[in-house]
């Protein structure tokens, strides 16, 4: 009998704590699941704040600043000036508004898919900034003139000798910079650190 068990092998039986072959327990899985849900909550919270700030500032700009002279904030070094941008950042590619709309939609889908494997707080913040910014500019492209998928984005922050931009653009740039930093440090969205 002992010889038969040696040849066939005995099945792996979890211990009383539910430990499997890899040494993880059901409690570990529950903790990881809770951590993942908290990171998704952070991502969504950052995205909502970025989106709402962008939306509210654009509404104020359209109501109060459009068709008005620029407002000097720091001399002529920083102004608030309302413009409509049909292109991408810095006014590039105004003939491709529909393509930029599709790209923004694709970015949102990728972020939502990544969120399922998210266990890193810095990545949650970075992706939240990207998501909020992408949603902010996508809202303009879908609902502003001249029409759906071709709407012009409202830009209003005008530093001297630089392109005019909005808070959604700022969120996207900050999120992108944070992702580059995290990638250089080897931190993955699932919380693991790799060395190249």
């Amino acid at each position: 009998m002992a010889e038969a068990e040696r040849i066939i092998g005995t099945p792996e039986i979890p211990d009383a704590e539910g430990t499997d072959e890899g040494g993880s327990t059901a409690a570990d899985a529950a903790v990881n699941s809770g951590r993942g849900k908290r990171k998704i909550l952070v991502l969504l919270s950052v995205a909502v704040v970025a989106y709402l700030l962008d939306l509210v500032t654009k509404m104020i700009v359209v109501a109060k600043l459009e068709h008005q002279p620029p407002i000097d904030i720091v001399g002529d070094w920083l102004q608030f000036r309302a413009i409509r941008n049909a292109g991408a950042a810095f006014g590039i590619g105004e003939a491709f508004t529909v393509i930029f709309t599709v790209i923004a939609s694709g970015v949102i889908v990728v972020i939502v898919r990544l969120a399922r494997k998210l266990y890193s707080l810095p990545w949650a913040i970075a992706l939240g900034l990207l998501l909020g910014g992408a949603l902010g500019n996508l809202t303009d492209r879908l609902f502003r003139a001249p029409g759906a998928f071709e709407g012009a984005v409202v830009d209003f922050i005008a530093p001297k000798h630089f392109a005019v931009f909005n808070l959604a653009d700022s969120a996207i740039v900050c999120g992108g910079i944070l992702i580059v930093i995290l990638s250089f440090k080897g931190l993955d969205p699932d919380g693991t650190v790799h060395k190249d």
Side-chain angles (χ1 to χ4, degrees):
M1 183 68 172
E3 183 64 23
E5 283 182 356
R6 186 183 66 76
I7 294 171
I8 298 171
T10 55
E12 295 288 336
I13 301 172
D15 62 18
E17 291 183 355
T19 305
D20 62 16
E21 291 177 32
S24 62
T25 64
D28 292 336
V31 168
N32 284 338
S33 175
R35 285 184 191 148
K37 287 178 182 174
R38 283 195 296 271
K39 300 309 183 276
I40 291 172
L41 184 60
V42 169
L43 184 155
L44 292 176
S45 299
V46 170
V48 167
V49 169
Y51 177 74
L52 290 177
L53 284 172
D54 180 66
L55 186 65
V56 168
T57 54
K58 286 175 178 174
M59 290 170 64
I60 292 169
V61 166
V62 169
K64 303 288 185 184
L65 193 57
E66 212 165 32
H67 311 299
Q68 302 294 326
I71 298 173
D72 291 338
I73 304 302
V74 182
D76 63 348
W77 287 97
L78 178 63
Q79 297 179 326
F80 286 166
R81 179 188 330 141
I83 68 163
R84 298 288 182 120
N85 178 7
F90 314 116
I92 298 168
E94 292 192 7
F96 301 103
T97 307
V98 173
I99 293 172
F100 296 132
T101 304
V102 171
I103 290 170
S105 302
V107 167
I108 292 166
V109 169
V110 168
I111 292 170
V112 169
R113 290 181 59 110
L114 269 175
R116 292 183 292 173
K117 299 176 183 177
L118 188 62
Y119 294 99
S120 164
L121 180 61
W123 271 95
I125 293 168
L127 293 176
L129 288 168
L130 281 179
L131 181 59
L135 284 171
N137 284 339
L138 182 61
T139 299
D140 282 1
R141 298 210 185 275
L142 291 176
F143 298 110
R144 294 201 188 273
F149 298 99
E150 297 181 352
V153 173
V154 175
D155 288 332
F156 63 93
I157 303 170
K160 190 174 185 179
H161 306 306
F162 195 72
V164 183
F165 58 96
N166 58 43
L167 293 184
D169 298 331
S170 300
I172 290 168
V173 169
C174 290
I177 290 170
L178 184 52
I179 286 172
V180 169
I181 292 169
L182 295 172
S183 298
F184 272 117
K185 288 188 166 190
L187 180 62
D188 290 333
D190 65 1
T192 59
V193 178
H194 66 272
K195 305 265 186 197
D196 289 334

